[in-house]
Amino acid sequence: MYDQPRPNPAHHAMTFDQMLEHVRYEGAYPTRERAAEAVHHVLAALGRQLTGDERIALAQCLPVEAGLTLTTQIPDTEHLTGWGFVKDLAARTGATPATARWDTGAVLAVAGRLAGPELLARILRQLPGGYALLFGQAELRRPEPAAA
């Protein structure tokens, strides 16, 4: 029973404290408390956008505390673009859009590495445009159908 692999094992399993240190480094935050604040705000916001199997799989890749922050959110019925996500985060936290964008990039860069390339690709397919850049990935545009 213990030898069976988890369905979505974390690629780089880490503790919550280790995650905070990675986010602190990515965001150049002066304290762990500031990094923890960013993690909780950004993952809560992502939890309001992400649904289904990708939400569950991402939560399994994150440290328990971070996964709970993601999954305890009730998904919104309105799907925000990447820029809408940043503006909503700024409004909810009282931060400037620039600070919200910085926090988002720092947290999602670490979360994306923990998710791994396959899960991250699935997550990005589920979300509206603009999220790839927030995860530190290139934003590849799909060709628009030719007008008839």
Side-chain angles (χ1 to χ4, degrees), residues 9-12 57-58 61 109-124 135 137:
H11 289 81
H12 304 286
L58 178 58
C61 294
V110 174
R113 285 195 300 270
L114 288 171
E118 292 170 15
L119 176 56
L120 183 54
R122 288 178 26 218
I123 290 169
L124 292 175
F135 278 95
Q137 303 292 308

Side-chain angles (χ1 to χ4, degrees), residues 1-81:
M1 177 153 114
Y2 292 104
D3 294 333
Q4 295 177 349
R6 289 176 53 189
N8 292 305
H11 289 81
H12 304 286
M14 66 172 61
T15 66
F16 188 64
D17 287 337
Q18 290 169 326
M19 182 180 186
L20 290 181
E21 282 305 313
H22 283 268
V23 170
R24 184 176 176 193
Y25 178 80
E26 285 285 334
Y29 297 118
T31 64
R32 289 174 56 87
E33 291 75 22
R34 178 65 184 92
E37 181 181 291
V39 166
H40 288 296
H41 288 308
V42 172
L43 290 180
L46 185 62
R48 290 188 291 274
Q49 294 298 308
L50 195 58
T51 59
D53 292 341
E54 288 76 18
R55 175 183 168 114
I56 294 165
L58 178 58
Q60 289 176 338
C61 294
L62 298 173
V64 172
E65 298 89 335
L68 287 173
T69 298
L70 178 82
T71 58
T72 56
Q73 302 303 308
I74 297 171
D76 286 342
T77 55
E78 179 186 0
H79 296 287
L80 301 172
T81 64

